[in-house]
Amino acid sequence: GYESIMINCNPETVSTDYDTSDRLYFEPLTFEDAQNIIELEKPDGVIVSLGGQTPLKLADQIDSELVLGTSPKSIDLAEDRDEWNKLCKKLRINQPAGGTATNTTDSLKIAKKVGYPVLVRPSYVLGGRAMQIAYNDIDLKNALKEIKADGSLGREGGLSKDRPVL
């Protein structure tokens, strides 16, 4: 009994979306564009957890009463690796060894401690953006260079002066 409205900014997938939603907006996934659609459509709710990293970042800006499913607070908890590790420890959930680093030297120390291969990802990224598997020190250094150079992550909130690079 609900109508679904989708916002999609990816022209490669837009051809398949016509049968998965009642209405499709082909717009950039920015707060301004999403807010314009929300004001026009007046939805009962917005699901941000099905669209990757960009919608996850929008969850904090959209009226929290509209966000259905995973709350912005829970998204932030899962993206903050230190907070996530504390939660897993409190709940006695085992997870692979890891660490958080803000520079290459510390990243190499963590990799040596936990052993290769390691999953390298920017902090505050859940949607899969810029994650890589490093099998040795050279791979790790290259992955860190790519993460630092990817300006789109910074625009989406994945990297900032206040958040770790790794």
Side-chain angles (χ1 to χ4, degrees):
Y2 285 94
E3 278 188 333
S4 64
I5 302 163
M6 182 180 294
I7 305 172
N8 192 329
C9 66
N10 186 346
E12 294 176 3
T13 61
V14 93
S15 64
T16 61
D17 292 340
Y18 70 90
D19 61 354
T20 59
S21 65
D22 295 296
R23 277 191 299 292
L24 169 65
Y25 287 86
F26 183 58
E27 299 288 341
L29 284 173
T30 65
F31 171 71
E32 292 78 14
D33 290 303
Q35 189 61 32
N36 287 338
I37 294 167
I38 290 169
E39 288 172 9
L40 175 70
E41 295 286 351
K42 300 182 182 3
D44 292 334
V46 177
I47 300 172
V48 298
S49 56
L50 301 176
Q53 193 62 38
T54 304
L56 292 176
K57 294 300 170 203
L58 290 175
D60 244 358
Q61 299 173 27
I62 295 171
D63 180 357
S64 62
E65 291 182 16
L66 283 178
V67 178
L68 303 175
T70 307
S71 70
K73 183 178 178 181
S74 293
I75 292 168
D76 186 59
L77 174 66
E79 288 180 319
D80 185 316
R81 300 319 301 162
D82 290 332
E83 292 302 316
W84 177 255
N85 292 339
K86 288 178 195 173
L87 177 63
C88 287
K89 186 174 183 175
K90 178 181 172 183
L91 298 174
R92 297 182 183 159
I93 297 172
N94 292 329
Q95 58 179 345
T100 302
T102 57
N103 59 58
T104 302
T105 301
D106 291 346
S107 299
L108 290 165
K109 286 179 186 175
I110 291 169
K112 183 177 182 180
K113 179 180 157 191
V114 302
Y116 287 104
V118 296
L119 178 63
V120 184
R121 68 178 199 84
S123 183
Y124 285 84
V125 174
L126 287 179
R129 293 288 308 257
M131 291 187 202
Q132 293 186 41
I133 297 173
Y135 295 94
N136 54 48
D137 288 356
I138 293 169
D139 288 349
L140 179 56
K141 289 177 186 178
N142 288 336
L144 293 172
K145 284 179 190 173
E146 286 181 36
I147 288 170
K148 288 178 187 178
D150 191 347
S152 68
L153 285 171
R155 286 191 300 278
E156 293 173 10
L159 298 176
S160 75
K161 65 180 181 173
D162 301 324
R163 293 179 169 172
V165 175
L166 175 66

